[in-house]
Amino acid sequence: MQSALDQFRISISRVRDLIALHNSVKAQATGALDVSDMLRAALVLAVSALDYYVHEVVTLGMLEIHRGSRSEPAPSANTTQSAFSRFHVTLGGARQDRLTAIDIASWLEAEIQQTQGYTFVQQSYTVSDLIPAISSSILDKLNNTSWLESEIRERLGYQSFQQADKIADAIRYISDKKLWDEVAIQMTKSAKDVKQQLNSIVDRRNKIAHEADIDPTFNIGGRWNIDEVLVGDAVNFVERLVESIHQVL
Amino acid sequence: MVQKIALFNHKGGVSKTTTTFNLGWMLASKGKRVILVDSDPQCNLTGMALGEETEDDEARIQEIYNTTSNIKVGLAPAFESQPKAIEAVDCIQIQGRDDLFLLPGHVGFAEYEVTLGIAQELSGSIQALKNLPGSINDLFEKTAAKFNADYILIDMSPSLGSINQNLLMISDFFLVPTTADFFSVMAIDSLAKVLPRWYAWAKSASSLQILREANYPFPDVNLRFLGTIVQNYRIIRGKETTAFQIWIEKIEQAVSKKLVPILGRSNMLLPSDIYRNQGIESSFTLAKISNFNSLIAKSQEHRTPVYELTPQQLGQGGVVLVNNQQKQEEFRQTFSNLADKIIALSSESSTYAVSA
């Protein structure tokens, strides 16, 4: 799950570079050149970095649970199974392991020949000599969860994890902690404030991404005001938020 | 829980601002924590509370605005779609009175009138502006929590605009300051027409899914009428003049015959025994306050309620001083009674709300 955080940090530093670029161009040009859309881009990219982080951390976390290297979250109060257990996969995806089982003998032979070499297969062994070779082959096979990864990515791919409630829903796949309460402790704020702040940022992001950032007040196509301080503060908040979420997980 | 009390009359010049200041001070001296909100873009309450007598005062006020927040800055995150949440305003402690604070006004608050009007149409524009109708309430609640306030008194501008519609409908109670004249009777008639419409609007706004789920949810409507304050009449030999007496009666008639029945139908009255317990009659006149005359100038000069001015502040002596001190005592008694009634009505209503 560390790679999700590493990716996020790279994305955010690119966002900061973009803001710095805006400040530099703005300082050198006259007011006739409106460079504020660079800030709008920066804000959308910052939220995008958050969205991608949640997708990644949930995908990687679910794979870890599936492999047994992370514990499954406990079911929430009104359910009998955890969100992880209730995640649906297709029979097509799940069938890949069955196909191997149907033809296990030839698969094993090919697998051992590939890992141990042709000469190894030509000799006879006691069972205990063979166990390590067989079990490492089977373990590799069971640990290959690429089919599950593509299932998860496809399912989550349709969703955006930006609004506070949506992020909490996603995190429930991999953790039973009360996300916003825990994050709020990390950030020394109240959970309500953290969610409100995040949702304010996402609301503005949506205005930029879906409404051309137009203020409908006088119907004259004016855009909502934006400046480097507002965007800088929003980026700082998103960064602190993700670092806190990662701490909690 | 803070209780928000709006002082509302869309007719100007009925002493809303002086009443807010004098009443707030009195409530604070009775041990309540009070925030005075200046929602009028004219900023008269702010000027009065901060003191605006000399050029030096202007520089000091400018400094306050450069360093602390105000109603417009507080609401900017919502109204200007800033990517941040609304935060409590750093109210200013009012000089000379503990537990009394000012949430300063801003002339530019009027710029938000049109946008809020569009947001409150409850129609197609709502998605883009869904966070606006509940934002003023959110700012007040956060600020009240920060200052641990018992009461917020809202000094409203004389208008029927969208900001006033919002302010009144998110309040818990309202007072109607009025003067005794023909135009004030007109204003009461007008209120009787407007208030039910506003109430119906607020009812549907608070039940709209999109406004309930907004970042700043529009609150449930819980507005109750406390009564009127008739003021500014002239006294001759200890009694209001006959002409004023006639107009006071006309105001009281208009309130009891027209306004109150309509408020009752819109569920904007407390149960009648709560008023009765406070000795409030069917005219709903909570207080009659005569003209402050020369005291008002001194009161503004010293940023002090009329009843708190010291002999030094009055700068008078002899018979004039004695007369003024007698007047001051009457005003103190009037505002004290008014404050007691408001405390009683608002606390009784909360027990009623719990039991209801």
Side-chain angles (χ1 to χ4, degrees):
Chain A
M1 290 188 349
Q2 181 61 33
S3 67
L5 188 63
D6 296 341
Q7 288 273 24
F8 172 80
R9 286 174 177 162
I10 292 167
S11 306
I12 280 291
S13 76
R14 291 176 60 101
V15 169
R16 288 195 196 286
D17 289 350
L18 183 57
I19 298 172
L21 187 60
H22 159 273
N23 296 348
S24 157
V25 174
K26 189 176 153 186
Q28 293 170 61
T30 68
L33 185 63
D34 181 357
V35 288
S36 64
D37 283 347
M38 291 166 86
L39 293 177
R40 293 189 175 87
L43 187 71
V44 174
L45 286 168
V47 176
S48 170
L50 162 71
D51 193 337
Y52 184 63
Y53 164 81
V54 178
H55 272 94
E56 282 306 289
V57 89
V58 169
T59 306
L60 297 174
M62 286 175 82
L63 292 172
E64 283 180 14
I65 295 168
H66 184 70
R67 284 199 293 266
S69 56
R70 179 183 172 89
S71 57
E72 185 183 334
S76 57
N78 49 2
T79 54
T80 49
Q81 285 188 304
S82 73
F84 174 86
S85 286
R86 282 180 285 129
F87 186 87
H88 288 241
V89 294
T90 63
L91 281 176
R95 191 155 153 253
Q96 307 221 328
D97 288 349
R98 284 298 304 157
L99 292 176
T100 309
I102 288 164
D103 202 11
I104 191 79
S106 56
W107 177 80
L108 257 181
E109 195 175 343
E111 195 68 11
I112 291 168
Q113 184 169 319
Q114 199 182 352
T115 49
Q116 310 292 334
Y118 178 71
T119 45
F120 184 88
V121 187
Q122 299 308 309
Q123 297 157 44
S124 50
Y125 301 93
T126 61
V127 170
S128 60
D129 287 338
L130 270 182
I131 293 251
I134 293 173
S135 59
S136 82
S137 289
I138 291 178
L139 191 64
D140 284 349
K141 178 65 192 161
L142 291 179
N143 272 341
N144 178 353
T145 50
S146 61
W147 71 270
L148 179 58
E149 183 168 347
S150 43
E151 292 264 338
I152 296 172
R153 287 192 185 285
E154 187 176 359
R155 280 283 311 285
L156 300 186
Y158 298 114
Q159 302 174 46
S160 62
F161 300 130
Q162 300 172 4
Q163 296 277 8
D165 296 349
K166 292 278 190 302
I167 291 178
D169 288 347
I171 295 295
R172 262 190 286 277
Y173 284 122
I174 59 165
S175 168
D176 49 30
K177 292 198 169 121
K178 287 215 171 320
L179 179 73
W180 294 118
D181 292 352
E182 300 259 355
V183 165
I185 295 165
Q186 293 278 336
M187 296 179 80
T188 58
K189 287 178 151 207
S190 77
K192 186 173 164 239
D193 284 350
V194 172
K195 287 194 272 191
Q196 224 174 42
Q197 183 80 2
L198 171 62
N199 289 345
S200 301
I201 292 170
V202 173
D203 274 347
R204 180 61 184 267
R205 176 263 172 205
N206 288 342
K207 286 191 163 64
I208 298 169
H210 305 297
E211 298 168 9
D213 211 23
I214 284 177
D215 168 2
T217 300
F218 291 107
N219 248 333
I220 50 172
R223 277 167 177 71
W224 294 107
N225 180 52
I226 195 159
D227 63 50
E228 53 272 34
V229 177
L230 286 174
V231 179
D233 288 350
V235 170
N236 291 342
F237 177 83
V238 169
E239 186 172 36
R240 286 220 323 280
L241 183 80
V242 169
E243 296 286 346
S244 306
I245 292 176
H246 208 82
Q247 286 281 323
V248 168
L249 296 178
Chain B
M1 274 305 286
V2 69
Q3 294 188 301
K4 301 187 280 291
I5 302 177
L7 284 92
F8 178 57
N9 187 340
H10 58 298
K11 181 187 178 303
V14 293
S15 303
K16 284 189 289 290
T17 302
T18 13
T19 306
T20 306
F21 185 73
N22 281 270
L23 174 62
W25 188 293
M26 184 57 80
L27 285 166
S29 61
K30 289 180 184 284
K32 301 292 181 186
R33 287 177 68 82
V34 182
I35 297 173
L36 306 179
V37 173
D38 190 357
S39 73
D40 185 347
Q42 302 308 313
C43 295
N44 292 333
L45 177 64
T46 307
M48 184 165 186
L50 299 180
E52 248 196 319
E53 291 296 313
T54 66
E55 293 76 10
D56 296 349
D57 284 337
E58 299 301 338
R60 188 173 46 83
I61 289 176
Q62 181 181 29
E63 185 51 31
I64 289 172
Y65 272 80
N66 286 342
T67 49
T68 58
S69 181
N70 56 65
I71 196 161
K72 181 169 186 244
V73 169
L75 290 168
F79 277 84
E80 296 175 25
S81 278
Q82 295 176 347
K84 64 178 192 191
I86 284 176
E87 291 168 23
V89 173
D90 272 321
C91 295
I92 298 165
Q93 161 86 49
I94 287 181
Q95 178 188 296
R97 181 68 261 168
D98 287 351
D99 299 340
L100 185 63
F101 304 91
L102 173 76
L103 197 166
H106 193 293
V107 176
F109 186 30
E111 294 165 31
Y112 292 163
E113 191 87 59
V114 176
T115 311
L116 186 61
I118 295 170
Q120 292 182 169
E121 276 174 15
L122 309 185
S123 61
S125 63
I126 205 86
Q127 182 61 47
L129 302 172
K130 65 177 187 297
N131 289 329
L132 267 53
S135 62
I136 301 178
N137 186 59
D138 185 84
L139 179 74
F140 287 178
E141 291 291 333
K142 280 179 182 161
T143 304
K146 182 174 178 176
F147 284 84
N148 194 13
D150 300 304
Y151 290 109
I152 288 182
L153 297 189
I154 308 167
D155 181 28
M156 289 165 66
S157 69
S159 90
L160 293 178
S162 57
I163 289 176
N164 277 0
Q165 177 177 337
N166 190 295
L167 284 168
L168 189 66
M169 288 301 149
I170 62 169
S171 295
D172 300 291
F173 302 102
F174 70 111
L175 290 161
V176 177
T178 175
T179 46
D181 56 44
F182 170 72
F183 294 108
S184 288
V185 176
M186 250 188 187
I188 300 286
D189 290 350
S190 171
L191 279 179
K193 288 198 191 72
V194 170
L195 291 179
R197 281 186 225 150
W198 281 9
Y199 181 84
W201 166 83
K203 270 296 198 206
S204 54
S206 61
S207 63
L208 261 193
Q209 193 66 9
I210 188 163
L211 291 183
R212 293 195 82 83
E213 288 171 359
N215 218 356
Y216 311 116
F218 189 80
D220 290 334
V221 191
N222 196 16
L223 179 67
R224 299 282 188 269
F225 179 55
L226 292 176
T228 63
I229 301 168
V230 183
Q231 40 202 5
N232 251 346
Y233 52 84
R234 274 192 301 281
I235 298 260
I236 296 177
R237 284 185 293 280
K239 269 185 72 72
E240 54 257 34
T241 61
T242 322
F244 270 114
Q245 188 54 47
I246 289 168
W247 284 107
I248 290 175
E249 276 170 26
K250 289 197 178 186
I251 291 274
E252 293 189 331
Q253 285 283 331
V255 171
S256 60
K257 294 273 187 308
K258 277 193 182 141
L259 184 62
V260 167
I262 281 177
L263 293 180
R265 283 200 287 279
S266 285
N267 197 23
M268 283 191 268
L269 296 178
L270 294 165
S272 51
D273 56 329
I274 293 185
Y275 296 110
R276 244 197 326 273
N277 294 346
Q278 296 309 314
I280 298 165
E281 294 168 13
S282 64
S283 65
F284 279 78
T285 310
L286 294 180
K288 291 183 193 172
I289 306 171
S290 64
N291 195 305
F292 292 151
N293 293 328
S294 62
L295 290 174
I296 189 69
K298 295 285 178 195
S299 166
Q300 285 169 346
E301 184 186 338
H302 297 290
R303 299 186 244 165
T304 305
V306 284
Y307 51 80
E308 286 285 352
L309 289 162
T310 61
Q312 291 77 20
Q313 289 174 326
L314 288 170
Q316 296 160 332
V319 179
V320 180
L321 177 63
V322 172
N323 277 345
N324 266 335
Q325 285 182 316
Q326 197 184 336
K327 300 276 316 170
Q328 280 183 292
E329 205 39 51
E330 286 169 25
F331 287 132
R332 178 190 303 281
Q333 206 49 56
T334 305
F335 276 102
S336 176
N337 293 345
L338 177 62
D340 288 343
K341 279 180 188 165
I342 287 170
I343 292 169
L345 290 171
S346 57
S347 58
E348 280 207 50
S349 93
S350 54
T351 52
Y352 147 78
V354 169
S355 61

